[in-house]
Amino acid sequence: MDASERGRLLDKLADLVERDRAVLATMESLNGGKPFLQAFYVDLQGVIKTLRYYAGWADKIHGMTIPVDGDYFTFTRHEPIGVCGQIIPWNFPLLMFAWKIAPALCCGNTVVIKPAEQTPLSALYMGALIKEAGFPPGVINILPGYGPTAGAAIASHIGIDKIAFTGSTEVGKLIQEAAGRSNLKRVTLELGGKSPNIIFADADLDYAVEQAHQGVFFNQGQCCTAGSRIFVEESIYEEFVRRSVERAKRRIVGSPFDPTTEQGPQIDKKQYNKILELIQSGVAEGAKLECGGKGLGRKGFFIEPTVFSNVTDDMRIAKEEIFGPVQEILRFKTMDEVIERANNSDFGLVAAVFTNDINKALTVSSAMQAGTVWINCYNALNAQSPFGGFKMSGNGREMWQCRTLLCNVVETVSLCRQETVTAQDMTAFCAPQRRAGLSTHQTFLHGNPGPAVSRGEFGLREYSEVKTVTVKIPQKNS
Amino acid sequence: MATTNGTVENGQPDRKPPALPRPVRSLEVKFTKIFINNEWHESKSGKKFATYNPSTLEKICEVEEGDKPDVDKAVEAAQAAFQRGSPWRRLDALGRGRLLNQLADLVERDRTVLATLETMDTGKPFLHAFFIDLEGCVKTLRYFAGWADKIQGRTIPTDDNVVCFTRHEPIGVCGAITPWNFPLLMLVWKLAPALCCGNTVVVKPAEQTPLTALYLGSLIKEVGFPPGVVNIVPGFGPTVGAAMSSHPQISKLAFTGSTEVGKLVKEAASRSNLKRVTLELGGKNPCIVCADADLDLAVECAHQGVFFNQGQCCTAASRVFVEEQVYAEFVRRSVEYAKKRPVGDPFDVRTEQGPQIDQKQFDKILDLIESGKKEGAKLECGGSAMEDRGLFIKPTVFSEVTDTMRIAKEEIFGPVQPILKFKNIEEVIKRANSLEYGLTAAVFTKNLDKALKLASALESGTVWINCYNAIYAQAPFGGFKMSGNGRELGEYALAEYTEVKTVTIKLDDKSP
């Protein structure tokens, strides 16, 4: 199939998702508990844009011709890896589905995808749309099931050449182990975070309060990007806490299908209990419980929007990922101090800075050990820029063309021109195939286990971490 | 070409044979005015000009004739649409991509109308217009739609304590002057990357063939491009074309046409405001057939390569170099092909060759044919106009052509195939490279080393190996030497439609 045709199919799938947007949003809300309007305007919008973004890349995956030493003609091809296993979470089921299949299909791979056992419905509906769009049979296969069974089978399968996983760091480690133990399949991981949100005294306070609020409470707190360590500069600390508490008390918790609802239930009993347990630890370890702190006392896994102040770095609520509607506000004095404390974590998914000072903005963002840094905004995610974690928040990047690099194997092909072979060593090197006029020196790993290519320009990518910095500006012009 | 009826069910293409498309009967030409700000205007001077069907020699209709005042008005509209804060500048890049994709949808919807119009205005066979020109238009629009939100600058680790990054910004108002051989396709080749990168555009379609450009204007409006983003001013070179080349508020000009006019355009561009210029000009393209080639393939490709579109291609294979050992056989088979080429009514499905575009071209081609005869080439077949057939010329083959003859040096742009002989590779490389042109070249051989050697030695922007006219939206196209400046299509086209801005922010050396 022409590469451009793969792009057409992805675009067609986006058309069908748009057509059935309300159905999918309803399903997502029913199965995941997220407010319907958020599913419609945030999740579904992200799905459509992601599919269209990658549709555009399909016929633009370029290799290069390279001027190597010696009489060679050398070029790279960026080929599909093969069968990609994908395991996705329950917090943004459909969006994570799109984030995974779009780049994989764009690059020409085939997919076996396991939706989370808590939320399989929207993925299965997508199966019907995929068939309707006209993807050939076998290109995308969807397997509902559990981690220890279906997930483990995918992670260890020797017929699967790559696995992409979004979920907890704990399970991510198991996946990477299984991948290594079985066939060294390539692994990309999007894991947890305990992301710092740094508010300087010169920030627009109301704006920072609102952004920090949404940053931690959005999606019932169930975001890997949750800004769950809010560092506020001393001089504005009390006021920031006061306004945050006031905002949290106003947060409307209720039925996902009520258009006024901002916060729905947590996903299940296990998460519900874990969150309440961490809240208890906060109280026990001496943080000040400003508001909330318990379940809502009605049917369903609803928890009150909870705010803790006077949080210190050693408390569990400042170190462990809560994944619930709990906001931790910590105090800081200087820029150097907050940089050190923000980086003092095994996680490194995102970070945010609120300030109007150009030096603070750029210095802090460069210093953050995080895959994405937001300046004067939060959760500004888009299809066009890379997303992923430093350290134990993950390996690899989703979105942007980075993903295409990780969905492809780089094959370097060098051809030796017969008539120019004169030097002794060249002759020896080319000898066996000289009769055919061709000597190929192929360095590729298609079907061979091994780490990703580490030579040429691509070697650079194995040794650098990509950080995306997104700055909010008053008005964009192209 | 489609081998199915185009539909796909459950991943399997539906294999019923497709019905051939039919042209629109008695097509009414609806769009004949100047297109500015998504509105149709009469010319300031009140003048109109006629456009003709070269097949019937009848007038199709009259079109508003633009001049400098109309160009000024169009540029003003394009500038306003480009202002910071305008809807076009504020649109997300992805939004620009969506508009281009939706334009492709409408071109697909009106494909038959556009192919009919193109055939009426140019004389090219309807099936060629439908399956080649229109296919190229749709694919090119969709290709650049995909690039819109992927035009990326860099962050750069410079010396010193600074943050340094580049932005790839739109240039501004871009002018496009397009030719009459592939009117709609050449327009889309310019429009798609220009709009993809966020520019606004003023277009002058060729005076011989303005109709499909104006129809596209109606689709641009229907899709919802903001007013002023695309403006179309039909008219003539010395008036509209010259006004655009010299306009101080046009920041970039793209021209496809003859090398002679290309030079004038570049001069005017420099003399006025140093506007950036890309040029796609003529060619006298070598087609090299080695003795070990698949001879049937080479004959067919060389034939289509020179005769396609009535010989009116910048890529025309108008110097066929054949290795000595297979020369006689190659000539024999080529003459056979040429004699069989069906010349006739472009709306007849059997026709492969229609009329030449106009009297001027017709006369020039016959003059060059006469020079071939006078200078001693051997006329194998054709060599004159079709009797009583207006602008139709018989497919003509010359053998025993030598490098000094006019037919071996000048671009003919007609159905004339000059076949030359060569002995060895070094010789043919020198001879192929000896002209000031350098647009395309083709090589027919089965030998890998020969193929790669010729591919690197030939001074041409495109080299085809064992194929001809293999042009794709994804791969760059353009000329070496006097065949042009810059590249169209592929990622490379983006560089022609963006300006790079470097931003360097100094950080405090002391931390607070």
Side-chain angles (χ1 to χ4, degrees), chain A residues 53 57 59-60 62 359 384 400-401 418 476-478, chain B residues 84-85 89-90 92 143 147 149-150 152 449 474 491 508:
Chain A
Y53 177 77
W57 268 121
D59 59 352
K60 302 172 180 65
H62 299 151
N359 271 290
Q384 296 90 1
W400 187 60
Q401 66 184 104
Q418 189 174 32
K476 171 188 74 187
N477 278 271
S478 61
Chain B
R84 288 184 58 78
R89 294 300 297 275
R90 296 279 302 127
D92 279 342
Y143 177 77
W147 268 121
D149 60 351
K150 301 168 182 68
Q152 299 167 165
D449 283 345
Q474 297 92 1
E491 185 181 2
D508 275 355

PDB file of all heavy atoms in Angstrom, chain A residues 53 57 59-60 62 359 384 400-401 418 476-478, chain B residues 84-85 89-90 92 143 147 149-150 152 449 474 491 508:
ATOM      1  N   TYR A  53      -3.174  14.334  12.508  1.00  0.00           N
ATOM      2  CA  TYR A  53      -1.769  14.725  12.523  1.00  0.00           C
ATOM      3  C   TYR A  53      -0.905  13.615  11.938  1.00  0.00           C
ATOM      4  O   TYR A  53      -0.067  13.855  11.057  1.00  0.00           O
ATOM      5  CB  TYR A  53      -1.333  15.040  13.956  1.00  0.00           C
ATOM      6  CG  TYR A  53       0.125  15.396  14.068  1.00  0.00           C
ATOM      7  CD1 TYR A  53       0.574  16.653  13.694  1.00  0.00           C
ATOM      8  CD2 TYR A  53       1.060  14.466  14.520  1.00  0.00           C
ATOM      9  CE1 TYR A  53       1.914  16.987  13.781  1.00  0.00           C
ATOM     10  CE2 TYR A  53       2.406  14.799  14.600  1.00  0.00           C
ATOM     11  CZ  TYR A  53       2.822  16.054  14.230  1.00  0.00           C
ATOM     12  OH  TYR A  53       4.154  16.382  14.300  1.00  0.00           O
ATOM     13  N   TRP A  57       1.761  12.552   8.337  1.00  0.00           N
ATOM     14  CA  TRP A  57       3.174  12.127   8.325  1.00  0.00           C
ATOM     15  C   TRP A  57       3.424  10.909   7.442  1.00  0.00           C
ATOM     16  O   TRP A  57       4.561  10.672   7.033  1.00  0.00           O
ATOM     17  CB  TRP A  57       3.651  11.756   9.740  1.00  0.00           C
ATOM     18  CG  TRP A  57       4.276  12.859  10.520  1.00  0.00           C
ATOM     19  CD1 TRP A  57       3.853  13.345  11.724  1.00  0.00           C
ATOM     20  CD2 TRP A  57       5.469  13.595  10.198  1.00  0.00           C
ATOM     21  NE1 TRP A  57       4.691  14.351  12.152  1.00  0.00           N
ATOM     22  CE2 TRP A  57       5.689  14.526  11.242  1.00  0.00           C
ATOM     23  CE3 TRP A  57       6.365  13.571   9.128  1.00  0.00           C
ATOM     24  CZ2 TRP A  57       6.765  15.419  11.256  1.00  0.00           C
ATOM     25  CZ3 TRP A  57       7.438  14.464   9.135  1.00  0.00           C
ATOM     26  CH2 TRP A  57       7.620  15.373  10.202  1.00  0.00           C
ATOM     27  N   ASP A  59       3.415   9.722   4.449  1.00  0.00           N
ATOM     28  CA  ASP A  59       4.291   9.669   3.279  1.00  0.00           C
ATOM     29  C   ASP A  59       5.439  10.672   3.399  1.00  0.00           C
ATOM     30  O   ASP A  59       5.962  11.159   2.395  1.00  0.00           O
ATOM     31  CB  ASP A  59       3.494   9.910   2.003  1.00  0.00           C
ATOM     32  CG  ASP A  59       2.780  11.249   1.980  1.00  0.00           C
ATOM     33  OD1 ASP A  59       2.772  11.951   3.008  1.00  0.00           O
ATOM     34  OD2 ASP A  59       2.210  11.596   0.931  1.00  0.00           O
ATOM     35  N   LYS A  60       5.797  11.015   4.623  1.00  0.00           N
ATOM     36  CA  LYS A  60       6.886  11.970   4.811  1.00  0.00           C
ATOM     37  C   LYS A  60       7.955  11.405   5.733  1.00  0.00           C
ATOM     38  O   LYS A  60       8.728  12.154   6.334  1.00  0.00           O
ATOM     39  CB  LYS A  60       6.330  13.284   5.395  1.00  0.00           C
ATOM     40  CG  LYS A  60       5.261  13.885   4.486  1.00  0.00           C
ATOM     41  CD  LYS A  60       4.571  15.060   5.138  1.00  0.00           C
ATOM     42  CE  LYS A  60       3.520  15.640   4.212  1.00  0.00           C
ATOM     43  NZ  LYS A  60       2.392  14.739   3.915  1.00  0.00           N
ATOM     44  N   HIS A  62      11.141  10.224   6.040  1.00  0.00           N
ATOM     45  CA  HIS A  62      12.307  10.268   5.165  1.00  0.00           C
ATOM     46  C   HIS A  62      13.510   9.599   5.790  1.00  0.00           C
ATOM     47  O   HIS A  62      13.812   9.804   6.959  1.00  0.00           O
ATOM     48  CB  HIS A  62      12.696  11.725   4.899  1.00  0.00           C
ATOM     49  CG  HIS A  62      11.630  12.522   4.214  1.00  0.00           C
ATOM     50  ND1 HIS A  62      11.506  13.872   4.394  1.00  0.00           N
ATOM     51  CD2 HIS A  62      10.655  12.171   3.356  1.00  0.00           C
ATOM     52  CE1 HIS A  62      10.496  14.314   3.653  1.00  0.00           C
ATOM     53  NE2 HIS A  62       9.963  13.302   3.014  1.00  0.00           N
ATOM     54  N   ASN A 359      13.939  35.588  32.689  1.00  0.00           N
ATOM     55  CA  ASN A 359      15.065  34.801  33.200  1.00  0.00           C
ATOM     56  C   ASN A 359      14.602  33.616  34.005  1.00  0.00           C
ATOM     57  O   ASN A 359      15.084  32.501  33.842  1.00  0.00           O
ATOM     58  CB  ASN A 359      15.955  35.662  34.089  1.00  0.00           C
ATOM     59  CG  ASN A 359      17.003  36.330  33.271  1.00  0.00           C
ATOM     60  OD1 ASN A 359      17.899  35.673  32.778  1.00  0.00           O
ATOM     61  ND2 ASN A 359      16.860  37.622  33.095  1.00  0.00           N
ATOM     62  N   GLN A 384       1.149  17.894  18.016  1.00  0.00           N
ATOM     63  CA  GLN A 384       2.358  18.236  17.271  1.00  0.00           C
ATOM     64  C   GLN A 384       3.644  18.155  18.083  1.00  0.00           C
ATOM     65  O   GLN A 384       4.729  18.136  17.491  1.00  0.00           O
ATOM     66  CB  GLN A 384       2.235  19.654  16.691  1.00  0.00           C
ATOM     67  CG  GLN A 384       1.121  19.823  15.671  1.00  0.00           C
ATOM     68  CD  GLN A 384      -0.199  20.229  16.296  1.00  0.00           C
ATOM     69  OE1 GLN A 384      -0.296  20.413  17.489  1.00  0.00           O
ATOM     70  NE2 GLN A 384      -1.218  20.372  15.469  1.00  0.00           N
ATOM     71  N   TRP A 400       4.400  14.040  17.893  1.00  0.00           N
ATOM     72  CA  TRP A 400       5.496  14.610  17.097  1.00  0.00           C
ATOM     73  C   TRP A 400       6.158  13.517  16.272  1.00  0.00           C
ATOM     74  O   TRP A 400       5.766  12.368  16.283  1.00  0.00           O
ATOM     75  CB  TRP A 400       6.498  15.298  18.042  1.00  0.00           C
ATOM     76  CG  TRP A 400       7.562  16.059  17.377  1.00  0.00           C
ATOM     77  CD1 TRP A 400       7.443  17.118  16.536  1.00  0.00           C
ATOM     78  CD2 TRP A 400       8.966  15.791  17.489  1.00  0.00           C
ATOM     79  NE1 TRP A 400       8.683  17.532  16.135  1.00  0.00           N
ATOM     80  CE2 TRP A 400       9.630  16.749  16.700  1.00  0.00           C
ATOM     81  CE3 TRP A 400       9.723  14.848  18.180  1.00  0.00           C
ATOM     82  CZ2 TRP A 400      11.009  16.792  16.573  1.00  0.00           C
ATOM     83  CZ3 TRP A 400      11.097  14.899  18.057  1.00  0.00           C
ATOM     84  CH2 TRP A 400      11.724  15.853  17.254  1.00  0.00           C
ATOM     85  N   GLN A 401       7.132  13.879  15.557  1.00  0.00           N
ATOM     86  CA  GLN A 401       7.787  12.914  14.692  1.00  0.00           C
ATOM     87  C   GLN A 401       8.709  12.000  15.477  1.00  0.00           C
ATOM     88  O   GLN A 401       9.168  11.019  14.969  1.00  0.00           O
ATOM     89  CB  GLN A 401       8.572  13.617  13.608  1.00  0.00           C
ATOM     90  CG  GLN A 401       9.724  14.413  14.161  1.00  0.00           C
ATOM     91  CD  GLN A 401      10.413  15.181  13.049  1.00  0.00           C
ATOM     92  OE1 GLN A 401      10.235  16.372  12.915  1.00  0.00           O
ATOM     93  NE2 GLN A 401      11.168  14.483  12.244  1.00  0.00           N
ATOM     94  N   GLN A 418      31.580  -1.089  -8.151  1.00  0.00           N
ATOM     95  CA  GLN A 418      32.585  -2.048  -8.586  1.00  0.00           C
ATOM     96  C   GLN A 418      33.802  -1.389  -9.202  1.00  0.00           C
ATOM     97  O   GLN A 418      34.913  -1.667  -8.863  1.00  0.00           O
ATOM     98  CB  GLN A 418      31.944  -3.011  -9.573  1.00  0.00           C
ATOM     99  CG  GLN A 418      32.841  -4.180  -9.907  1.00  0.00           C
ATOM    100  CD  GLN A 418      32.080  -5.163 -10.772  1.00  0.00           C
ATOM    101  OE1 GLN A 418      31.223  -4.765 -11.542  1.00  0.00           O
ATOM    102  NE2 GLN A 418      32.396  -6.428 -10.647  1.00  0.00           N
ATOM    103  N   LYS A 476      -0.986  34.266  19.234  1.00  0.00           N
ATOM    104  CA  LYS A 476      -0.086  33.627  18.287  1.00  0.00           C
ATOM    105  C   LYS A 476      -0.396  34.110  16.878  1.00  0.00           C
ATOM    106  O   LYS A 476      -1.546  34.238  16.491  1.00  0.00           O
ATOM    107  CB  LYS A 476      -0.273  32.113  18.345  1.00  0.00           C
ATOM    108  CG  LYS A 476       0.487  31.388  17.233  1.00  0.00           C
ATOM    109  CD  LYS A 476       0.134  29.911  17.176  1.00  0.00           C
ATOM    110  CE  LYS A 476      -1.241  29.673  16.579  1.00  0.00           C
ATOM    111  NZ  LYS A 476      -1.606  28.243  16.687  1.00  0.00           N
ATOM    112  N   ASN A 477       0.669  34.369  16.093  1.00  0.00           N
ATOM    113  CA  ASN A 477       0.508  34.580  14.658  1.00  0.00           C
ATOM    114  C   ASN A 477       1.393  33.566  13.958  1.00  0.00           C
ATOM    115  O   ASN A 477       2.453  33.238  14.440  1.00  0.00           O
ATOM    116  CB  ASN A 477       0.925  36.004  14.263  1.00  0.00           C
ATOM    117  CG  ASN A 477      -0.187  36.996  14.518  1.00  0.00           C
ATOM    118  OD1 ASN A 477      -1.022  37.240  13.674  1.00  0.00           O
ATOM    119  ND2 ASN A 477      -0.206  37.548  15.716  1.00  0.00           N
ATOM    120  N   SER A 478       1.003  33.085  12.795  1.00  0.00           N
ATOM    121  CA  SER A 478       1.765  32.023  12.148  1.00  0.00           C
ATOM    122  C   SER A 478       3.155  32.513  11.734  1.00  0.00           C
ATOM    123  O   SER A 478       3.372  33.700  11.582  1.00  0.00           O
ATOM    124  CB  SER A 478       1.037  31.530  10.919  1.00  0.00           C
ATOM    125  OG  SER A 478       0.888  32.592  10.008  1.00  0.00           O
TER     126      SER A 478
ATOM    127  N   ARG B  84      -0.729  40.655  10.997  1.00  0.00           N
ATOM    128  CA  ARG B  84      -0.722  40.004  12.303  1.00  0.00           C
ATOM    129  C   ARG B  84      -2.098  40.182  12.929  1.00  0.00           C
ATOM    130  O   ARG B  84      -2.669  41.263  12.877  1.00  0.00           O
ATOM    131  CB  ARG B  84       0.336  40.646  13.210  1.00  0.00           C
ATOM    132  CG  ARG B  84       1.753  40.298  12.819  1.00  0.00           C
ATOM    133  CD  ARG B  84       2.743  40.880  13.817  1.00  0.00           C
ATOM    134  NE  ARG B  84       2.483  40.398  15.158  1.00  0.00           N
ATOM    135  CZ  ARG B  84       2.822  39.216  15.626  1.00  0.00           C
ATOM    136  NH1 ARG B  84       3.450  38.356  14.845  1.00  0.00           N
ATOM    137  NH2 ARG B  84       2.544  38.878  16.871  1.00  0.00           N
ATOM    138  N   GLY B  85      -2.630  39.136  13.499  1.00  0.00           N
ATOM    139  CA  GLY B  85      -3.950  39.221  14.114  1.00  0.00           C
ATOM    140  C   GLY B  85      -5.081  38.876  13.176  1.00  0.00           C
ATOM    141  O   GLY B  85      -6.223  38.723  13.610  1.00  0.00           O
ATOM    142  N   ARG B  89      -3.671  34.478   9.975  1.00  0.00           N
ATOM    143  CA  ARG B  89      -2.470  34.407  10.816  1.00  0.00           C
ATOM    144  C   ARG B  89      -2.764  33.766  12.160  1.00  0.00           C
ATOM    145  O   ARG B  89      -1.894  33.181  12.780  1.00  0.00           O
ATOM    146  CB  ARG B  89      -1.874  35.799  11.057  1.00  0.00           C
ATOM    147  CG  ARG B  89      -1.313  36.519   9.861  1.00  0.00           C
ATOM    148  CD  ARG B  89      -0.194  35.812   9.150  1.00  0.00           C
ATOM    149  NE  ARG B  89       1.003  35.617   9.922  1.00  0.00           N
ATOM    150  CZ  ARG B  89       1.994  36.512  10.066  1.00  0.00           C
ATOM    151  NH1 ARG B  89       1.894  37.702   9.517  1.00  0.00           N
ATOM    152  NH2 ARG B  89       3.077  36.211  10.761  1.00  0.00           N
ATOM    153  N   ARG B  90      -3.996  33.903  12.642  1.00  0.00           N
ATOM    154  CA  ARG B  90      -4.353  33.357  13.944  1.00  0.00           C
ATOM    155  C   ARG B  90      -4.764  31.895  13.865  1.00  0.00           C
ATOM    156  O   ARG B  90      -4.870  31.233  14.878  1.00  0.00           O
ATOM    157  CB  ARG B  90      -5.521  34.173  14.534  1.00  0.00           C
ATOM    158  CG  ARG B  90      -5.189  35.613  14.821  1.00  0.00           C
ATOM    159  CD  ARG B  90      -4.460  35.799  16.122  1.00  0.00           C
ATOM    160  NE  ARG B  90      -5.232  35.282  17.225  1.00  0.00           N
ATOM    161  CZ  ARG B  90      -4.793  34.419  18.124  1.00  0.00           C
ATOM    162  NH1 ARG B  90      -3.563  33.965  18.062  1.00  0.00           N
ATOM    163  NH2 ARG B  90      -5.580  34.015  19.102  1.00  0.00           N
ATOM    164  N   ASP B  92      -4.740  28.020  13.688  1.00  0.00           N
ATOM    165  CA  ASP B  92      -3.794  26.950  13.992  1.00  0.00           C
ATOM    166  C   ASP B  92      -3.295  26.356  12.692  1.00  0.00           C
ATOM    167  O   ASP B  92      -4.041  26.217  11.722  1.00  0.00           O
ATOM    168  CB  ASP B  92      -4.489  25.817  14.771  1.00  0.00           C
ATOM    169  CG  ASP B  92      -4.627  26.119  16.247  1.00  0.00           C
ATOM    170  OD1 ASP B  92      -3.913  27.002  16.756  1.00  0.00           O
ATOM    171  OD2 ASP B  92      -5.461  25.457  16.894  1.00  0.00           O
ATOM    172  N   TYR B 143      -1.014  16.079   0.169  1.00  0.00           N
ATOM    173  CA  TYR B 143       0.356  15.953   0.683  1.00  0.00           C
ATOM    174  C   TYR B 143       0.739  17.175   1.505  1.00  0.00           C
ATOM    175  O   TYR B 143       1.207  17.061   2.646  1.00  0.00           O
ATOM    176  CB  TYR B 143       1.338  15.761  -0.480  1.00  0.00           C
ATOM    177  CG  TYR B 143       2.772  15.685  -0.023  1.00  0.00           C
ATOM    178  CD1 TYR B 143       3.277  14.529   0.547  1.00  0.00           C
ATOM    179  CD2 TYR B 143       3.618  16.790  -0.113  1.00  0.00           C
ATOM    180  CE1 TYR B 143       4.591  14.457   0.995  1.00  0.00           C
ATOM    181  CE2 TYR B 143       4.920  16.728   0.342  1.00  0.00           C
ATOM    182  CZ  TYR B 143       5.405  15.559   0.887  1.00  0.00           C
ATOM    183  OH  TYR B 143       6.704  15.501   1.336  1.00  0.00           O
ATOM    184  N   TRP B 147       1.627  18.566   5.794  1.00  0.00           N
ATOM    185  CA  TRP B 147       2.819  19.262   6.309  1.00  0.00           C
ATOM    186  C   TRP B 147       2.483  20.448   7.207  1.00  0.00           C
ATOM    187  O   TRP B 147       3.325  20.876   7.990  1.00  0.00           O
ATOM    188  CB  TRP B 147       3.674  19.791   5.157  1.00  0.00           C
ATOM    189  CG  TRP B 147       4.756  18.878   4.685  1.00  0.00           C
ATOM    190  CD1 TRP B 147       4.914  18.385   3.424  1.00  0.00           C
ATOM    191  CD2 TRP B 147       5.852  18.348   5.448  1.00  0.00           C
ATOM    192  NE1 TRP B 147       6.029  17.581   3.356  1.00  0.00           N
ATOM    193  CE2 TRP B 147       6.625  17.532   4.582  1.00  0.00           C
ATOM    194  CE3 TRP B 147       6.259  18.466   6.781  1.00  0.00           C
ATOM    195  CZ2 TRP B 147       7.771  16.855   4.998  1.00  0.00           C
ATOM    196  CZ3 TRP B 147       7.410  17.791   7.195  1.00  0.00           C
ATOM    197  CH2 TRP B 147       8.143  17.001   6.301  1.00  0.00           C
ATOM    198  N   ASP B 149       1.157  21.467   9.946  1.00  0.00           N
ATOM    199  CA  ASP B 149       1.521  21.629  11.359  1.00  0.00           C
ATOM    200  C   ASP B 149       2.806  20.886  11.689  1.00  0.00           C
ATOM    201  O   ASP B 149       3.037  20.487  12.832  1.00  0.00           O
ATOM    202  CB  ASP B 149       0.379  21.180  12.272  1.00  0.00           C
ATOM    203  CG  ASP B 149       0.007  19.723  12.067  1.00  0.00           C
ATOM    204  OD1 ASP B 149       0.497  19.087  11.120  1.00  0.00           O
ATOM    205  OD2 ASP B 149      -0.807  19.222  12.873  1.00  0.00           O
ATOM    206  N   LYS B 150       3.647  20.676  10.680  1.00  0.00           N
ATOM    207  CA  LYS B 150       4.906  19.991  10.933  1.00  0.00           C
ATOM    208  C   LYS B 150       6.075  20.826  10.446  1.00  0.00           C
ATOM    209  O   LYS B 150       7.183  20.310  10.232  1.00  0.00           O
ATOM    210  CB  LYS B 150       4.904  18.621  10.229  1.00  0.00           C
ATOM    211  CG  LYS B 150       3.752  17.758  10.731  1.00  0.00           C
ATOM    212  CD  LYS B 150       3.523  16.533   9.891  1.00  0.00           C
ATOM    213  CE  LYS B 150       2.343  15.742  10.396  1.00  0.00           C
ATOM    214  NZ  LYS B 150       1.034  16.397  10.236  1.00  0.00           N
ATOM    215  N   GLN B 152       8.767  22.848  11.282  1.00  0.00           N
ATOM    216  CA  GLN B 152       9.426  22.979  12.578  1.00  0.00           C
ATOM    217  C   GLN B 152      10.741  23.713  12.475  1.00  0.00           C
ATOM    218  O   GLN B 152      11.543  23.443  11.588  1.00  0.00           O
ATOM    219  CB  GLN B 152       9.643  21.576  13.159  1.00  0.00           C
ATOM    220  CG  GLN B 152       8.301  20.881  13.361  1.00  0.00           C
ATOM    221  CD  GLN B 152       8.359  19.398  13.627  1.00  0.00           C
ATOM    222  OE1 GLN B 152       7.393  18.801  14.061  1.00  0.00           O
ATOM    223  NE2 GLN B 152       9.493  18.757  13.389  1.00  0.00           N
ATOM    224  N   ASP B 449      25.760  -0.620 -11.524  1.00  0.00           N
ATOM    225  CA  ASP B 449      26.851   0.357 -11.490  1.00  0.00           C
ATOM    226  C   ASP B 449      26.650   1.467 -12.509  1.00  0.00           C
ATOM    227  O   ASP B 449      26.869   2.644 -12.223  1.00  0.00           O
ATOM    228  CB  ASP B 449      28.188  -0.329 -11.781  1.00  0.00           C
ATOM    229  CG  ASP B 449      28.688  -1.086 -10.564  1.00  0.00           C
ATOM    230  OD1 ASP B 449      28.170  -0.851  -9.457  1.00  0.00           O
ATOM    231  OD2 ASP B 449      29.612  -1.903 -10.715  1.00  0.00           O
ATOM    232  N   GLN B 474       5.582  13.604  -3.155  1.00  0.00           N
ATOM    233  CA  GLN B 474       6.517  13.479  -2.032  1.00  0.00           C
ATOM    234  C   GLN B 474       7.960  13.804  -2.392  1.00  0.00           C
ATOM    235  O   GLN B 474       8.798  13.993  -1.494  1.00  0.00           O
ATOM    236  CB  GLN B 474       6.489  12.036  -1.482  1.00  0.00           C
ATOM    237  CG  GLN B 474       5.147  11.617  -0.919  1.00  0.00           C
ATOM    238  CD  GLN B 474       4.267  10.931  -1.943  1.00  0.00           C
ATOM    239  OE1 GLN B 474       4.665  10.753  -3.091  1.00  0.00           O
ATOM    240  NE2 GLN B 474       3.067  10.556  -1.530  1.00  0.00           N
ATOM    241  N   GLU B 491       9.312  17.755   0.799  1.00  0.00           N
ATOM    242  CA  GLU B 491       9.595  18.622   1.940  1.00  0.00           C
ATOM    243  C   GLU B 491      10.383  19.847   1.500  1.00  0.00           C
ATOM    244  O   GLU B 491      10.270  20.915   2.088  1.00  0.00           O
ATOM    245  CB  GLU B 491      10.399  17.842   2.986  1.00  0.00           C
ATOM    246  CG  GLU B 491      10.631  18.633   4.254  1.00  0.00           C
ATOM    247  CD  GLU B 491      11.448  17.869   5.296  1.00  0.00           C
ATOM    248  OE1 GLU B 491      11.863  16.728   4.988  1.00  0.00           O
ATOM    249  OE2 GLU B 491      11.645  18.422   6.387  1.00  0.00           O
ATOM    250  N   ASP B 508      20.286  36.203  32.282  1.00  0.00           N
ATOM    251  CA  ASP B 508      21.159  36.812  33.285  1.00  0.00           C
ATOM    252  C   ASP B 508      22.296  35.871  33.611  1.00  0.00           C
ATOM    253  O   ASP B 508      22.093  34.681  33.778  1.00  0.00           O
ATOM    254  CB  ASP B 508      20.374  37.026  34.587  1.00  0.00           C
ATOM    255  CG  ASP B 508      19.618  38.320  34.544  1.00  0.00           C
ATOM    256  OD1 ASP B 508      19.787  39.064  33.565  1.00  0.00           O
ATOM    257  OD2 ASP B 508      18.842  38.560  35.483  1.00  0.00           O
TER     258      ASP B 508
END
